[in-house]
Amino acid sequence: MILDDFVLFDEKGLYCKYGNFYIDPQLPVTTAVISHAHADHAISGNNNVYCTRATASIMQLRYDRTAAKVFNIAAFNQPFEVGGVMVTLIPAGHMLGSAQVLMEYEGSRYLYTGDYKLQPDATCEPIEWVTTDVLITESTFANPDIIHPDPVAEIRKINDIKSNILLGAYALGKSQRLINLITEHAPQKKILVHHKIMPINAIYEKMGFHPGKYQIYGRKLMKVQDEFVYIVPPFTFDSYIRATGVKRLFASGWKNLQVNNQDTLFISDHVDWNDILQTITNTKPKQVWTLHGKGDHLKAYFKDDIFVKILN
């Protein structure tokens, strides 16, 4: 039997009262299951954290001693119990170490996707599929009007740019994916990386995911026009607003970060409308619960075929 209140939002985030734990809490809690290491899902200060080794490593890099009191490292596809709920972490394909959270309780299965993507990405574990009774899906782009373009086609656009490029991107996940895409599909480009991104790259390489060819940024290098691509975090990108001798581009799937077709590489690490429909086909849920976005379009699309509940 599906429990309608199996997970609910309270002031600290998404709470499973049947196991007495939070999933990706927004405030510090006693027990947390963390899907991946992006800051909007993985905060510091929790007591007991269950997550993958890569997620723990990145949290420790970013938060140092406040990352968590205790990390409980879980391997993919290896069930463990939290407060009477059986939990299994399933690869989500979003970034290195990202996991869907499968929760089994009293004969029913609840699958929290976290952030996930279906597009191929050599810098992280590919998404895996399991069946579930309830699919708890992020719905950031759950809109039939939003279809993500092919990331390879997007990255190949830089082949036509002969000047040096200043490429803004999130340091964690996006930057490593861009290094890989540029290495594979614009091999003549010489990739430079901001010093803030280098420690994250080191974790990726330690985990066996080598992004591609790159070197740390040097000021003298960018003074020469030699098809350099300098990948920088958003705060550095914004500070170089008057930079000369470079083409400024920003890589994102978020509309609020996109400038225009000439200055944006539309590369998203989230599922679009078609991806969500494919996920529902593959996981075969009886119910779909949405969060981190709007579920209205899914509710209208499935009508009476699948029950859709909007969690927030």
Side-chain angles (χ1 to χ4, degrees):
M1 180 181 69
I2 294 173
L3 299 169
D4 187 59
D5 62 348
F6 184 74
V7 291
L8 295 171
F9 276 100
D10 66 17
E11 68 279 0
K12 294 182 178 179
L14 188 62
Y15 180 57
C16 176
K17 69 177 183 181
Y18 296 95
N20 192 25
F21 62 86
Y22 285 81
I23 310 169
D24 295 347
Q26 300 301 297
L27 294 173
V29 298
T30 300
T31 304
V33 178
I34 305 295
S35 67
H36 68 286
H38 279 143
D40 57 335
H41 290 257
I43 64 165
S44 62
N46 297 303
N47 284 0
N48 295 298
V49 168
Y50 293 84
C51 64
T52 63
R53 184 168 300 282
T55 295
S57 296
I58 296 166
M59 289 180 67
Q60 288 166 332
L61 171 67
R62 287 191 148 182
Y63 300 134
D64 197 19
R65 295 179 182 178
T66 65
K69 286 189 176 180
V70 177
F71 275 106
N72 303 277
I73 305 302
F76 287 121
N77 299 305
Q78 295 297 316
F80 56 93
E81 191 172 315
V82 184
V85 174
M86 193 61 66
V87 177
T88 308
L89 301 184
I90 312 294
H94 177 62
M95 58 162 284
L96 181 65
S98 63
Q100 303 170 79
V101 181
L102 175 64
M103 296 163 283
E104 299 175 88
Y105 184 74
E106 293 188 348
S108 292
R109 292 159 65 90
Y110 306 79
L111 180 66
Y112 167 87
T113 64
D115 291 345
Y116 66 114
K117 73 172 182 291
L118 277 57
Q119 295 176 342
D121 181 355
T123 63
C124 69
E125 306 87 353
I127 191 168
E128 294 182 13
W129 302 111
V130 295
T131 58
T132 186
D133 297 301
V134 177
L135 177 69
I136 308 167
T137 180
E138 68 104 339
S139 53
T140 306
F141 299 116
N143 185 326
D145 295 331
I146 300 177
I147 304 298
H148 297 321
D150 176 15
V152 172
E154 287 294 297
I155 211 70
R156 283 178 174 161
K157 291 178 180 178
I158 71 172
N159 284 316
D160 297 327
I161 301 172
K162 300 308 176 185
S163 66
N164 292 343
I165 296 170
L166 181 71
L167 180 55
Y170 284 125
L172 175 57
K174 183 76 75 180
S175 290
Q176 293 72 36
R177 189 182 182 196
L178 289 170
I179 292 169
N180 179 261
L181 286 169
I182 295 168
T183 299
E184 292 295 318
H185 303 287
Q188 79 283 4
K189 299 295 182 182
K190 300 175 178 65
I191 303 169
L192 304 176
V193 172
H194 190 271
H195 69 92
K196 291 284 189 182
I197 299 172
M198 292 295 284
I200 300 172
N201 284 3
I203 292 175
Y204 270 65
E205 291 175 355
K206 183 179 179 181
M207 297 290 171
F209 290 85
H210 300 274
K213 61 172 187 178
Y214 64 90
Q215 60 181 305
I216 192 166
Y217 164 76
R219 184 175 297 178
K220 291 182 179 178
L221 293 172
M222 284 289 282
K223 290 183 178 179
V224 178
Q225 290 293 338
D226 197 16
E227 295 205 43
F228 285 111
V229 179
Y230 179 25
I231 301 177
V232 301
F235 68 88
T236 303
F237 183 80
D238 291 341
S239 70
Y240 284 174
I241 188 68
R242 293 183 176 86
T244 59
V246 297
K247 171 65 175 177
R248 288 167 49 86
L249 295 172
F250 199 90
S252 178
W254 296 88
K255 284 188 175 181
N256 64 320
L257 295 179
Q258 295 166 359
V259 182
N260 54 55
N261 287 333
Q262 289 72 45
D263 298 322
T264 302
L265 297 179
F266 295 87
I267 299 176
S268 177
D269 295 318
H270 293 254
V271 287
D272 63 12
W273 175 255
N274 286 340
D275 294 332
I276 294 175
L277 296 185
Q278 185 63 53
T279 298
I280 292 169
T281 297
N282 290 359
T283 57
K284 300 178 173 59
K286 299 180 179 70
Q287 296 186 16
V288 175
W289 300 355
T290 68
L291 71 170
H292 301 149
K294 294 184 177 181
D296 297 339
H297 292 288
L298 286 171
K299 185 183 283 283
Y301 179 85
F302 285 107
K303 297 180 181 177
D304 297 328
D305 294 333
I306 299 178
F307 174 76
V308 176
K309 179 170 73 171
I310 301 171
L311 284 177
N312 71 332

